[in-house]
């Protein structure tokens, strides 16, 4: 009888550990991997703009957004709208740029937590700094 109680106790403990460990497997998306900063124009009057590749971010992480494919336009649009509301930021300088200037994209992290709860994911963002080059 003692052996049965110990076996049952052991199985309960192992089952609880498996459940706890399975819950710790939250996926992390490095959002900076999908961000590009582009500069154009002429030295001293260059401009900068950013682009976040929403489609690639979603297509690389379909499981996170509970999607099977990118073919459902309404579902894709809904996810992209949520991401657009939660993943925001801005450049510290966008006009009158010269070669050698450093510009930084600063993330607004105030809405990321709600987005992480909605999709059960961790969005990793870091301010991104680039040195302006290639202006004519």
């Amino acid at each position: 009888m003692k052996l049965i109680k110990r076996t049952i106790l052991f199985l309960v403990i192992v089952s609880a550990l498996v459940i706890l460990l399975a819950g710790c497997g939250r996926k992390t998306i490095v959002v900076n991997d999908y961000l590009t900063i582009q500069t154009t124009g002429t030295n001293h009057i260059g401009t900068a703009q950013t682009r976040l590749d929403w489609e690639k971010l979603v297509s690389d992480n379909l499981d996170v957004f509970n999607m099977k494919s990118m073919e459902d336009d309404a579902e894709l649009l809904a996810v992209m709208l949520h991401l657009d509301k939660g993943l925001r930021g801005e450049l510290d300088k966008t006009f009158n740029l010269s070669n050698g200037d450093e510009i930084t994209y600063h993330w607004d992290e105030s809405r990321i937590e709600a987005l992480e709860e909605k999709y059960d994911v961790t969005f990793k963002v870091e301010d991104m700094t680039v040195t302006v080059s290639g202006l004519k």
Side-chain angles (χ1 to χ4, degrees):
M1 195 63 152
K2 260 187 171 182
L3 182 61
I4 293 174
K5 286 182 181 179
R6 284 185 181 175
T7 303
I8 291 173
L9 179 62
F10 175 77
L11 291 174
V12 168
I13 291 171
V14 168
S15 297
L17 284 173
V18 167
I19 290 170
L20 285 173
L21 291 176
C24 295
R26 186 176 226 194
K27 187 170 183 173
T28 298
I29 297 174
V30 180
V31 183
N32 285 36
D33 291 347
Y34 302 94
L35 178 69
T36 55
I37 300 173
Q38 183 178 20
T39 56
T40 56
T42 306
N43 199 26
H44 303 293
I45 54 172
T47 61
Q49 61 184 4
T50 60
R51 180 177 185 278
L52 190 57
D53 191 345
W54 300 110
E55 283 192 40
K56 179 130 177 68
L57 189 151
V58 173
S59 69
D60 287 352
N61 301 284
L62 289 173
D63 57 326
V64 169
F65 303 111
N66 301 315
M67 295 177 61
K68 290 186 171 94
S69 73
M70 298 281 287
E71 294 179 19
D72 185 345
D73 290 338
E75 188 177 43
L76 177 61
L77 181 61
V79 169
M80 291 170 101
L81 286 172
H82 282 112
L83 292 174
D84 185 48
K85 287 180 183 176
L87 297 174
R88 292 271 175 169
E90 63 182 29
L91 285 168
D92 61 352
K93 188 174 180 185
T94 55
F95 299 104
N96 300 321
L97 300 174
S98 300
N99 288 320
D101 287 351
E102 285 193 348
I103 55 175
T104 302
Y105 187 83
H106 297 282
W107 289 98
D108 175 3
E109 298 183 40
S110 64
R111 297 181 185 167
I112 292 177
E113 188 175 325
L115 194 61
E116 289 176 334
E117 288 177 18
K118 177 171 181 54
Y119 292 112
D120 194 32
V121 65
T122 300
F123 290 102
K124 183 178 178 194
V125 296
E126 289 182 7
D127 290 351
M128 178 186 269
T129 301
V130 297
T131 302
V132 176
S133 64
L135 299 176
K136 298 176 184 176

